[in-house]
């Protein structure tokens, strides 16, 4: 399946695979389309943004709906739009359910501090969706004619980082905020700096030298960029 992704404001990465850099925080949302199912990776910072992503995804797929959602990590700009995707199967790294269930107030406060209108933050956290399926190691999803691999490669940027490998003539690795291109990687209070370089090593093992690596923020990069960021993080945090 292939469409003119750019006509919808998305960037084509491979046949049936594309992503959009969302406004304000430059967070990535990505779509992987199979014959009869589709996976969305991250859902935006508000319900309004999630609804806009849903409408664009359906337009890209000729009216079909997203059937699966994978959340890269439990930060507001990646998860607060999930309730816009009712009826989907939602996946996250093991433990992310506990963070989201017990951390609604913190998530709401973080969103407001970063510029989300308080009413929007309240609305989104009131209906916050906790993943139905928790990935401990790796989980293969069948989307109809294609498979994708969900991999719990963290902790690193957060305590619960989930990447997605999309096989193809050139692999695509959806990295979440383990990799950032548009600015220095951000290490908040829930980051695990001592294990972040190892998480990037696992990403490189997943994709290999020729894959496209899609950061949580910024332009698509290659393995060399990921390796350089891994080495800089190791130096920054004193990790071998």
């Amino acid at each position: 399946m292939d469409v003119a992704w750019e006509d919808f404001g998305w960037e084509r990465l491979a046949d049936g695979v594309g992503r959009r850099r969302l406004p304000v925080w430059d967070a990535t949302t990505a779509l992987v389309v199979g014959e009869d199912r589709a996976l969305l990776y991250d859902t935006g910072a508000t319900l309004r943004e999630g609804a806009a992503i849903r409408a664009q995804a359906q337009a890209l797929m000729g009216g079909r709906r997203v059937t699966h959602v994978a959340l890269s990590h439990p930060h507001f700009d990646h998860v607060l739009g999930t309730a816009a995707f009712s009826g989907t199967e939602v996946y996250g790294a093991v433990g992310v359910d506990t963070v989201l269930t017990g951390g609604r107030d913190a998530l709401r406060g973080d969103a407001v501090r970063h510029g989300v209108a308080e009413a929007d933050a309240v609305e989104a956290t009131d209906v916050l969706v906790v993943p139905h399926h928790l990935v401990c190691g790796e989980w293969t999803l069948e989307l109809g004619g294609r498979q994708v691999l969900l991999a719990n490669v963290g902790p690193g940027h957060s305590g619960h980082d989930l990447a997605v490998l999309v096989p193809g003539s050139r692999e695509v690795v959806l990295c979440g905020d383990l990799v950032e291109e548009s600015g220095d990687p951000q290490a908040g209070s829930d980051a695990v700096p001592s294990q972040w370089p190892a998480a990037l090593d696992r990403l490189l093992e997943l994709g290999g030298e020729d894959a496209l690596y899609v950061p949580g923020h910024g332009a698509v990069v290659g393995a060399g960029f990921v390796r350089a960021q891994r080495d800089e993080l190791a130096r920054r945090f004193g990790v071998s």
Side-chain angles (χ1 to χ4, degrees):
M1 179 253 182
D2 205 0
V3 296
W5 294 83
E6 289 75 13
D7 290 347
F8 296 88
W10 289 57
E11 175 185 359
R12 182 186 182 278
L13 303 173
D15 184 24
V17 185
R19 69 94 178 238
R20 185 179 178 200
R21 293 169 68 170
L22 299 170
V24 185
W25 297 279
D26 191 29
T28 283
T29 185
L31 183 66
V32 184
V33 182
E35 291 175 357
D36 55 5
R37 302 178 187 91
L39 170 73
L40 186 79
Y41 185 67
D42 286 346
T43 60
T46 66
L47 286 178
R48 186 180 298 108
E49 191 162 67
I53 295 167
R54 181 192 65 212
Q56 291 172 352
Q58 287 184 214
L60 279 163
M61 297 187 293
R64 290 168 50 198
R65 295 171 62 90
V66 169
T67 56
H68 298 72
V69 166
L71 301 177
S72 64
H73 64 289
H75 290 171
F76 81 93
D77 49 334
H78 299 264
V79 305
L80 287 186
T82 308
F85 295 88
S86 61
T88 59
E89 297 294 316
V90 182
Y91 295 76
V94 66
V96 76
D97 55 331
T98 302
V99 173
L100 293 178
T101 299
R104 291 173 192 263
D105 290 345
L107 194 62
R108 182 186 304 118
D110 193 38
V112 172
R113 280 193 300 275
H114 283 84
V116 174
E118 185 169 2
D120 289 341
V122 169
E123 178 187 40
T125 53
D126 279 351
V127 293
L128 187 65
V129 175
V130 175
H132 312 118
H133 308 286
L134 301 174
V135 182
C136 181
E138 296 179 350
W139 191 314
T140 300
L141 283 182
E142 172 62 53
L143 299 179
R146 78 184 317 159
Q147 293 181 331
V148 297
L149 181 71
L150 278 55
N152 184 343
V153 296
H157 172 73
S158 76
H160 312 281
D161 294 304
L162 186 71
V164 173
L165 171 67
V166 186
S169 57
R170 188 175 188 185
E171 278 73 19
V172 176
V173 183
L174 306 175
C175 305
D177 286 5
L178 286 167
V179 179
E180 296 190 42
E181 185 276 335
S182 55
D184 291 334
Q186 299 300 302
S189 59
D190 63 339
V192 186
S194 64
Q195 298 188 52
W196 199 335
L200 294 184
D201 287 337
R202 287 191 283 276
L203 283 182
L204 290 165
E205 290 170 4
L206 276 177
E209 286 300 307
D210 297 327
L212 297 174
Y213 292 87
V214 184
H217 302 266
V220 174
V221 299
F225 181 95
V226 177
R227 189 171 294 106
Q229 194 157 94
R230 180 252 182 245
D231 293 344
E232 174 56 26
L233 287 168
R235 183 202 62 76
R236 175 176 163 189
F237 296 124
V239 181
S240 61

